[in-house]
Amino acid sequence: MDRRSFLSLAVACSSTLVLGANQEVIPSAVTTKNSSLMVKNLLDKLNTVQNHVGYVRFNTMSFDEMLKTAVHCNKPLTPYEVGYVETIFYGDPRRYGFYGERTVPRLTAITSEKDLVYIKKSGHFLLRGAATEKYATIKKLIGNELILTSGVRAPVKQLHLFLKKIVSEGGDLRLASTSIAPPGFTFHSVGDFDIGKVGYGHGNFSTKFQETDVFKKLYDGGYITIRYTKGNPYGVRYEPWHIKVTGGNETA
């Protein structure tokens, strides 16, 4: 099987996509058993790698480093699994309804350690510069009630989250991408970060977050801009916790 045929098959196994007369994509939750098993095997291997290197390091781990670590853990990725990952990363997500823009050009991109700043007690990094300055400003304003719930995510970390969401949504790429951007398309890779209120738990990742005093003080005061507003054109749910730092995907 040639490379083009392989990539086409991998996409088909991820989700059944039907093209209409206007080339519009109609997503479906139908998946093949083989695809479901492959995604679960991939998740198992990525879980093993994360457990081996630790949650913090996994956030910024490069793809090549992940492959080497997987081999070290006796969980090597198969050529088919690597091809599937490449299809997800390099494919056009508009085929399944995600209209955000690409933020990382290469799956093997490396985030330089000199560009990372670890935020104590958070388990996350921020990119040095605009992101750390923004976080420092709002942290000073809110104080200990504010927490960083997610920072820099390299392609491997985003892949892990995306695959988990695919499984939880029964293989439906469209539903998965409404809450987790495909790897290569998240602004967490280039500056954005998530915030929350201490003790608010899962509410920090729901629309309930907009009801907190933390959100109201920051948003009403003009200290933050939300990346994915209500009714945004990118196929992403409303995320009041996702703070826009970099350019691109201008909010309405």
Side-chain angles (χ1 to χ4, degrees), residues 126-139:
L126 290 178
L127 287 180
R128 191 180 304 279
T132 51
E133 292 168 6
K134 171 66 71 175
Y135 182 74
T137 296
I138 62 179
K139 180 68 172 178

Side-chain angles (χ1 to χ4, degrees), residues 7 9 30-31 39 90 102 126 129-130 145 156 175 185 191 196 201 231 249-250:
L7 294 179
L9 176 62
V30 177
T31 58
V39 170
Y90 291 110
R102 179 174 290 282
L126 290 178
E145 272 197 298
V156 168
L175 287 178
F185 293 84
N249 270 11
E250 295 304 323

Side-chain angles (χ1 to χ4, degrees), residues 69-123:
T69 305
V71 171
H72 176 76
C73 294
N74 295 316
K75 293 279 189 176
L77 272 66
T78 67
Y80 191 89
E81 289 169 337
V82 172
Y84 177 83
V85 172
E86 290 176 342
T87 299
I88 293 294
F89 185 89
Y90 291 110
D92 184 353
R94 290 177 296 178
R95 289 176 294 184
Y96 47 86
F98 178 84
Y99 296 95
E101 61 190 87
R102 179 174 290 282
T103 57
V104 182
R106 294 179 294 105
L107 178 60
T108 54
I110 297 175
T111 304
S112 175
E113 290 188 6
K114 67 180 180 62
D115 295 328
L116 296 171
V117 176
Y118 180 68
I119 305 303
K120 294 180 180 179
K121 299 180 180 180
S122 73

Side-chain angles (χ1 to χ4, degrees), residues 2 9 14 33 36-38 43 47 50 63 81 85 87 90 97 120 129 133 139 141 147 166 170 192 196 240 247:
D2 60 32
L9 176 62
S14 305
K33 292 182 179 180
S36 177
L37 179 60
M38 180 183 64
L43 276 176
N47 285 334
Q50 179 174 252
F63 188 71
E81 289 169 337
V85 172
T87 299
Y90 291 110
K120 294 180 180 179
E133 292 168 6
K139 180 68 172 178
L141 184 68
I147 55 172
I166 289 175
D192 285 9

